[in-house]
Amino acid sequence: SMERVGKRKFGYNVSQVNEFLERAHKSYVSNDMELTQKDIQEVSFDLERNGYVISQVDAALSRLENAVVDKITEYDISHRGRVVWKAELEDIYRTLLKHAKRAERQRFAPGEDKRPSYDCTQVDELVNQILDKIAVSLGRAPSWDTEEDILDEIESEFVSDIVFTQRKGKHGYDERQVDYYLNACVRVLSKLESYDRISND
């Protein structure tokens, strides 16, 4: 049902998108838990002329991601209990927090020579805000006293869509390390948001 961009423009490879979504749908409707949020986060598609509209595919993946997280959250809570589920999130939070307690501008490796890297100050500020949001959601005291209106903006989708100013090489953070860390943060935020959705149903 997704639209194509037209013969003169580039969109996502149609066959790759169809194959992934079909495989994901089969896994989702089955009783197994093989399809994970990480699988959806890390999927990538080639570009081709007259491919699928990128924004529509991304929106479909976002809906799929929410559905998968909700399914896993419901399963975990029903089979292991809310206390265990929350304890696991707190363990992940402590690991993320330990990493962030390093000195600012030294939390991640510097970028490689002549390759793009992320602005250190922007990354550090976002990490502080994310961890404060997670802390408050878990009933803990925030470490950086982020203002409440900023915390309201920090959601999994917001973090996934963030764009940093690019630097070069060692003047910024290594992009792969930052992306890996932020993806872990997104998974925690998604679980917390999923719990809220399930609780409100």
Side-chain angles (χ1 to χ4, degrees):
S1 62
M2 286 179 285
E3 299 176 359
R4 299 198 184 198
V5 295
K7 295 181 179 179
R8 296 184 179 182
K9 297 181 180 180
F10 284 90
Y12 282 144
N13 183 283
V14 171
S15 61
Q16 292 176 358
V17 172
N18 288 343
E19 180 182 354
F20 176 79
L21 291 179
E22 182 178 355
R23 187 171 68 252
H25 177 71
K26 288 181 179 179
S27 178
Y28 178 77
V29 298
S30 68
N31 291 326
D32 63 50
M33 294 290 168
E34 292 183 0
L35 180 64
T36 68
Q37 182 180 16
K38 189 170 183 287
D39 295 329
I40 302 169
Q41 284 181 331
E42 296 181 351
V43 69
S44 61
F45 308 110
D46 295 330
L47 297 177
E48 66 176 7
R49 292 187 187 277
N50 199 30
Y52 281 141
V53 176
I54 292 175
S55 61
Q56 291 188 10
V57 176
D58 288 345
L61 291 176
S62 180
R63 292 192 297 272
L64 174 63
E65 187 174 341
N66 285 342
V68 167
V69 174
D70 286 354
K71 180 179 180 180
I72 294 174
T73 300
E74 287 181 330
Y75 179 89
D76 286 345
I77 291 176
S78 63
H79 285 74
R80 296 186 294 163
R82 188 182 68 85
V83 173
V84 173
W85 176 84
K86 184 180 179 183
E88 290 181 351
L89 281 189
E90 289 179 336
D91 284 342
I92 299 172
Y93 164 71
R94 283 192 289 269
T95 300
L96 294 170
L97 182 63
K98 182 179 179 180
H99 186 103
K101 287 296 185 180
R102 301 174 184 178
E104 293 192 353
R105 302 185 65 84
Q106 297 180 27
R107 292 174 173 175
F108 303 95
E112 298 178 8
D113 287 342
K114 300 180 181 180
R115 295 183 64 86
S117 53
Y118 290 146
D119 183 272
C120 296
T121 301
Q122 293 176 0
V123 172
D124 286 339
E125 183 178 27
L126 179 65
V127 167
N128 295 350
Q129 294 168 354
I130 292 171
L131 293 180
D132 275 357
K133 176 60 176 280
I134 294 173
V136 171
S137 299
L138 291 173
R140 294 174 169 269
S143 299
W144 289 276
D145 295 324
T146 303
E147 295 180 4
E148 188 173 345
D149 59 334
I150 295 178
L151 291 181
D152 290 340
E153 296 179 357
I154 302 299
E155 297 180 345
S156 58
E157 186 174 358
F158 175 86
V159 178
S160 296
D161 293 340
I162 201 72
V163 177
F164 300 110
T165 299
Q166 282 200 333
R167 304 301 179 191
K168 287 187 179 180
K170 63 181 180 180
H171 297 290
Y173 282 142
D174 181 86
E175 293 186 352
R176 289 171 297 181
Q177 281 197 12
V178 174
D179 289 343
Y180 182 86
Y181 184 91
L182 291 183
N183 278 342
C185 291
V186 166
R187 289 194 286 273
V188 175
L189 289 170
S190 296
K191 290 177 184 294
L192 292 167
E193 293 161 10
S194 174
Y195 180 78
D196 287 341
R197 287 194 297 269
I198 293 171
S199 299
N200 292 328
D201 285 345

